[in-house]
Amino acid sequence: MRAQNLTLLTDLYELTMMQGYYENPSDQIVVFDAFYRKNPCGGAYAVCAGLEQVIEYVRDLHFSPDDIDYLRSLHIFNDDFLEYLRGFHFTGDIYAIPEGTVVFPREPLLKVVAPIMEAQLVETAILNMINHQSLIATKASRVVYAAKGDGIMEFGLRRAQGPDAGIYGARAAMIGGCIGTSNVLTGQMFEVPVKGTHAHSWIMSFPDEYTAFKTYAKMYPEACILLVDTYDVLASGVPNAIRVFKEMRAEGLPMKGYGIRIDSGDLAYLSKKAYQMLEAEGFGDAIISASSDLDEYLIDSLKTQGAKINSWGVGTNLITSGDWPAFGGVYKLAAAKDKDDAEFTPKIKLSENSEKVTNPGNKTIYRIYDKETGKIRADLICLADETFDESKDMIIFDPIETWKKTKIKGGTYTLRELLVPIFQKGACVYTSPSVMEIRDICTREKDTLWEESKRLVNPHEVYVDLSDKLYHIKSDLLEEMSMKALGEQ
Ligand SMILES: Nc1ncnc2c1ncn2[C@@H]1O[C@H](COP(=O)(O)OP(=O)(O)OP(=O)(O)O)[C@@H](O)[C@H]1O
Ligand SMILES: O=P(O)(O)OC[C@H]1O[C@H](OP(=O)(O)OP(=O)(O)O)[C@H](O)[C@@H]1O
Ligand SMILES: O=C(O)c1cccnc1
């Protein structure tokens, strides 16, 4: 748990709007959806992450005396409003898709149902946390996919955009499938494995490479990965490593978790040659680890080139999501009602771009699985109170090109509601799994994707459709608004 209260981790406009609602009191209860529009890195899915931090944040939401003093010093907020903030806490409901789940564009990853002032305040921090961790978890998942079963170690802390990006980025990278992180604080905070080798400076601090290797091997015989590229990989690094491994073997040390790391040069060529040299001396089971500005595409290419690498250290491009800098999640008002009303009134945001027109209403999402294979057939966004019967045929259709329809035969599919209750009436009703449990969830989740949706380039998109009822509510609202606009011309 953080020492610092994050209540002011918000954009100023959330607070100025809050004051506006305070001064023009309304009993509105609203529904906000947090969703994203485009899968990162040209993929066909994302991995959602960051919910545990959202939960901690919402639980701890309160304005301390220092916070109030600071807000007063801005000369924007009046005394009555500041007094109200003193007693402020979250009283609403939150629903979310559990961390580690594979998710698709336009579906609400998180839904806030709360009095408007509360729902508005939490926008920025929720997006900040979900956007960052979902981005890095998705990137990690792609890197892990490219490695085809080899372990990925997250090495990015030194290149992360500051401490928080390093800490929570490593958490997200673990959720996406890394086997460990070099980040010790993340290891401590989230009970995930910490892993590492050693730096070039270790070698350079000794009079020669052999002595450096020997000294390291003596201290860490069970995690002895020797960095072989400080001087010359094939002429010096690998031969010196082999000399040390032979001595370890002669001493009867357990030869597990031993090997080399190559951090520069042609990784395909060097790893193949290094493997031949190791194998010739009976060290064919040595770990051959590689690092050096890797990402999913380079790992994929190295695999295609037949590189003899079975362990990968990935830093910069993973922790920063080098080729895709932002997740792009947004938080949009979807419905509102007066406190005493039974029903929500759907709200819609128009846009010239049909992709950007929001989905109105108080919604939920059902995932439709193929009963036989367990793979995802489609996701269906619908109204929260809609129910479906798995024994009945289901007709789903593309919400833009509505003539594209699919009939899913009753009895051949199962349904799972993705949004689960997290807060009810301000009380947290959800216990976050541990990060390693979320990692397992994520592994199982990726198994529900068809192979065609996992490939790195031009993957097949997963269908996200609207229920008939939701589609008609949306069309009617669009029609109504366009007629109104005509009337105003
Ligand atoms: N066989 C290969 N196929 C494709 N890319 C490779 C191959 N071997 C290495 N690379 C990648 O090429 C880039 C190498 O860059 P560069 O030559 O600038 O640095 P380097 O070899 O690591 O040397 P140094 O770190 O000393 O600058 C890295 O991103 C590395 O992962
Ligand atoms: O390449 P990345 O994917 O970002 O992975 C992390 C990099 O960080 C280290 O290099 P650095 O030069 O910082 O330290 P070193 O002297 O230990 O090699 C390591 O050797 C990797 O090359
Ligand atoms: O342990 C390592 O090998 C390591 C850690 C951080 C960055 N690069 C390498």
Side-chain angles (χ1 to χ4, degrees):
M1 185 76 172
R2 275 164 192 279
Q4 198 191 353
N5 165 20
L6 293 182
T7 303
L8 294 192
L9 186 74
T10 191
D11 293 305
L12 180 65
Y13 81 164
E14 314 288 15
L15 287 161
T16 50
M17 282 189 280
M18 266 179 99
Q19 175 162 259
Y21 293 128
Y22 181 80
E23 292 203 351
N24 304 277
S26 88
D27 274 346
Q28 273 196 104
I29 307 288
V30 292
V31 177
F32 271 96
D33 295 331
F35 62 95
Y36 73 104
R37 295 194 173 104
K38 210 167 177 177
N39 287 310
C41 313
Y45 72 97
V47 171
C48 67
L51 179 59
E52 186 182 358
Q53 282 61 51
V54 168
I55 293 172
E56 281 175 10
Y57 156 77
V58 173
R59 268 186 153 150
D60 193 36
L61 209 53
H62 70 282
F63 292 84
S64 70
D66 280 354
D67 296 340
I68 305 277
D69 286 349
Y70 171 70
L71 292 178
R72 193 186 311 280
S73 77
L74 297 177
H75 302 294
I76 301 172
F77 302 108
N78 63 44
D79 287 344
D80 285 355
F81 177 62
L82 292 171
E83 209 42 52
Y84 156 81
L85 290 185
R86 267 183 215 288
F88 178 91
H89 62 281
F90 185 76
T91 64
D93 301 339
I94 295 183
Y95 302 80
I97 302 181
E99 290 189 272
T101 308
V102 295
V103 290
F104 310 111
R106 296 177 299 285
E107 47 198 32
L109 309 185
L110 184 143
K111 175 174 89 169
V112 176
V113 184
I116 192 158
M117 285 200 274
E118 298 173 29
Q120 191 69 65
L121 175 69
V122 297
E123 167 178 14
T124 312
I126 287 177
L127 288 179
N128 173 281
M129 292 167 193
I130 300 278
N131 276 332
H132 173 236
Q133 288 198 48
S134 301
L135 179 69
I136 306 304
T138 307
K139 187 70 176 173
S141 173
R142 291 170 62 77
V143 172
V144 166
Y145 172 79
K148 296 190 165 70
D150 298 343
I152 301 288
M153 292 177 287
E154 187 284 308
F155 278 174
L157 179 57
R158 64 190 59 196
R159 318 262 195 254
Q161 278 105 341
D164 262 14
I167 295 167
Y168 297 101
R171 176 185 188 275
M174 290 303 302
I175 288 174
C178 289
I179 58 163
T181 172
S182 63
N183 184 332
V184 182
L185 184 52
T186 295
Q188 182 196 35
M189 287 171 70
F190 301 109
E191 295 180 3
V192 297
V194 287
K195 294 193 181 293
T197 68
H198 60 78
H200 293 105
S201 55
W202 173 262
I203 313 290
M204 292 152 75
S205 71
F206 284 83
D208 62 87
E209 193 178 47
Y210 164 72
T211 313
F213 284 174
K214 177 80 190 154
T215 312
Y216 191 81
K218 256 210 163 92
M219 291 184 68
Y220 306 108
E222 294 198 14
C224 184
I225 307 293
L226 303 173
L227 179 59
V228 293
D229 74 328
T230 306
Y231 304 121
D232 186 319
V233 174
L234 301 180
S236 139
V238 177
N240 277 326
I242 288 174
R243 187 174 159 199
V244 170
F245 297 151
K246 280 183 175 167
E247 288 163 4
M248 289 168 74
R249 189 165 57 192
E251 282 174 46
L253 290 171
M255 298 301 288
K256 54 172 193 181
Y258 80 102
I260 61 169
R261 174 162 74 98
I262 310 172
D263 186 48
S264 58
D266 187 315
L267 298 175
Y269 173 76
L270 292 173
S271 64
K272 285 188 230 180
K273 284 280 173 200
Y275 175 75
Q276 283 170 7
M277 292 162 75
L278 285 159
E279 219 239 340
E281 299 292 347
F283 297 114
D285 64 343
I287 293 168
I288 302 183
S289 173
S291 49
S292 176
D293 275 325
L294 296 171
D295 62 13
E296 66 269 45
Y297 304 105
L298 275 176
I299 293 175
D300 187 56
S301 160
L302 286 161
K303 289 262 171 205
T304 309
Q305 295 170 56
K308 291 295 278 181
I309 297 165
N310 49 25
S311 158
W312 308 81
V314 187
T316 314
N317 288 316
L318 170 52
I319 206 74
T320 66
S321 182
D323 62 343
W324 197 277
F327 192 69
V330 296
Y331 185 81
K332 298 289 171 196
L333 186 82
K337 65 172 181 137
D338 276 340
K339 203 169 85 207
D340 301 322
D341 286 354
E343 299 281 315
F344 278 102
T345 305
K347 302 274 181 177
I348 197 163
K349 176 178 176 313
L350 294 184
S351 166
E352 305 247 316
N353 176 351
S354 62
E355 289 276 306
K356 286 200 166 179
V357 176
T358 58
N359 287 322
N362 180 21
K363 302 179 291 294
T364 191
I365 315 149
Y366 282 96
R367 181 151 289 173
I368 309 170
Y369 294 98
D370 184 70
K371 206 169 183 174
E372 210 174 289
T373 60
K375 304 284 184 204
I376 301 172
R377 297 280 313 251
D379 277 359
L380 190 69
I381 307 178
C382 61
L383 295 173
D385 57 7
E386 281 189 83
T387 54
F388 302 91
D389 181 347
E390 292 173 0
S391 68
K392 300 235 165 74
D393 291 355
M394 191 177 237
I395 293 174
I396 55 171
F397 56 93
D398 186 294
I400 309 281
E401 295 163 333
T402 50
W403 62 93
K404 292 187 181 167
K405 291 186 167 59
T406 308
K407 179 153 108 183
I408 307 182
K409 276 200 84 54
T412 69
Y413 67 90
T414 56
L415 293 173
R416 169 186 159 211
E417 188 171 1
L418 293 185
L419 287 171
V420 301
I422 308 294
F423 281 86
Q424 279 185 340
K425 294 196 170 60
C428 183
V429 294
Y430 180 80
T431 309
S432 276
S434 70
V435 171
M436 292 310 276
E437 284 165 348
I438 300 172
R439 184 180 179 277
D440 289 343
I441 291 171
C442 186
T443 305
R444 291 197 295 276
E445 279 286 314
K446 284 183 272 184
D447 279 345
T448 66
L449 290 170
W450 301 90
E451 213 40 49
E452 293 74 9
S453 298
K454 285 194 266 193
R455 65 177 175 243
L456 297 176
V457 180
N458 291 332
H460 180 72
E461 294 219 357
V462 177
Y463 302 119
V464 177
D465 295 340
L466 305 186
S467 72
D468 207 41
K469 202 165 167 188
L470 179 55
Y471 175 80
H472 283 105
I473 288 178
K474 186 173 181 177
S475 317
D476 291 353
L477 264 178
L478 287 172
E479 180 68 18
E480 193 184 304
M481 293 187 84
S482 60
M483 293 310 286
K484 207 165 137 201
L486 272 184
E488 282 165 9
Q489 273 175 20

